[in-house]
Amino acid sequence: MEFALIRKGSFTMGNLERKEGATSIQQVHISKDYWLGITEVTQGQWQKIMGSQEIHPDKPSPFFGVNSNYPKVSISYYDIEDFLNRLNKLSKGHGYTFRLPTEAEWEYACRANTTSPFSYGEILSDTLANYNAKIPSIYSKPGIFLEHPMPVKSYPPNPWGLYDMHGNVWEWVSDWYSPYSNNEMTDPIGPKNGEEKVIRGGSWYFGALNAKSSFRKPHQPSLWGFSIGFRIVCEEVKR
């Protein structure tokens, strides 16, 4: 896995253009640098940790075994916890630990110091990301619908060197879903418990609206979907 160093900083989190209603925004400070995967975790990377068996044979991924560089999908939040537990056991003694990003860390990295709907600008096109460009949207040009994910790194990275932050597959983050606080926050981690987790970034199956830097969607942590994957944070273990 490859990771990009994301430098600490501050940003405005949320739907800045407010074209879909008066959703909340908040000022957020990220107080520490962190390393974020430059791609979503791939099928090949998943199999090295979890093995080659389909994890949900009763409802398998339609893309299982198609391409080792496809993002790993059809995994629940709890499946990812199992993956991280195994990865961290294998990494014990090597000085590193791994986890999901918080929602704030994810959006901060996705925006990459931009305030537009996408890190690429105001409008998304099918040359910049894998999303359903046949769905009409004020945020995109008419384009194609591939009907499947693409191998990671198939599209240009954002300004901080991260691939597929818009589209390809949704990405689980660690936060429980809740409305944003109106207060200025430092390193927010969401509520301590809840009913649904958050997924971010949109996917090949959804339109440009869902791929916006600010767009957030609640999802049951025990459920999985054919267009939901994840990327991870790497941290150095403090000695």
Side-chain angles (χ1 to χ4, degrees):
M1 298 180 188
E2 298 176 84
F3 296 86
L5 179 60
I6 308 301
R7 297 291 188 184
K8 63 184 179 181
S10 301
F11 75 112
T12 303
M13 182 173 178
N15 183 19
L16 306 185
E17 54 277 3
R18 305 210 178 183
K19 291 180 180 178
E20 295 81 48
T23 55
S24 297
I25 60 174
Q26 62 178 344
Q27 292 300 121
V28 173
H29 307 287
I30 304 295
S31 68
K32 299 176 182 178
D33 300 344
Y34 59 101
W35 292 88
L36 183 64
I38 68 171
T39 71
E40 295 140 345
V41 172
T42 66
Q43 290 194 31
Q45 291 165 344
W46 175 273
Q47 288 176 6
K48 286 183 178 180
I49 304 300
M50 302 295 286
S52 58
Q53 297 299 311
E54 174 57 68
I55 196 166
H56 296 295
D58 54 327
K59 187 183 175 183
S61 165
F63 311 110
F64 181 74
V66 173
N67 189 316
S68 63
N69 286 320
Y70 271 9
K72 178 61 180 173
V73 294
S74 297
I75 43 176
S76 72
Y77 182 90
Y78 299 125
D79 296 331
I80 295 170
E81 286 190 327
D82 289 342
F83 172 89
L84 289 169
N85 285 336
R86 293 193 192 188
L87 179 59
N88 284 323
K89 284 182 181 178
L90 289 170
S91 303
K92 191 173 183 179
H94 293 277
Y96 297 96
T97 187
F98 302 89
R99 61 174 175 82
L100 283 174
T102 66
E103 188 176 12
E105 288 172 336
W106 190 96
E107 185 172 328
Y108 177 67
C110 179
R111 287 190 176 280
N113 276 341
T114 66
T115 56
S116 49
F118 310 96
S119 61
Y120 306 116
E122 299 290 330
I123 300 295
L124 199 59
S125 75
D126 58 22
T127 62
L128 294 173
N130 182 14
Y131 66 102
N132 188 347
K134 285 190 174 181
I135 296 177
S137 173
I138 60 173
Y139 295 110
S140 67
K141 302 174 183 178
I144 61 173
F145 174 37
L146 294 178
E147 302 185 43
H148 58 77
M150 285 290 285
V152 297
K153 297 186 180 180
S154 293
Y155 296 87
N158 78 358
W160 288 356
L162 304 168
Y163 294 86
D164 298 314
M165 298 297 285
H166 306 291
N168 214 23
V169 299
W170 290 99
E171 299 180 18
W172 289 102
V173 294
S174 62
D175 299 45
W176 290 103
Y177 183 86
S178 70
Y180 289 153
S181 167
N182 291 322
N183 298 324
E184 196 166 325
M185 304 284 284
T186 297
D187 301 326
I189 58 173
K192 291 183 178 180
N193 50 56
E195 296 183 357
E196 296 173 301
K197 290 287 185 175
V198 180
I199 56 176
R200 286 299 212 115
S203 81
W204 58 269
Y205 189 75
F206 290 78
L209 169 64
N210 295 262
K212 288 172 53 182
S213 297
S214 63
F215 194 87
R216 57 202 305 255
K217 186 176 177 66
H219 201 277
Q220 290 283 346
S222 61
L223 302 180
W224 58 93
F226 56 66
S227 71
I228 305 177
F230 70 114
R231 77 179 68 217
I232 59 176
V233 169
C234 175
E235 292 182 315
E236 190 170 5
V237 176
K238 294 180 180 178
R239 298 183 184 275

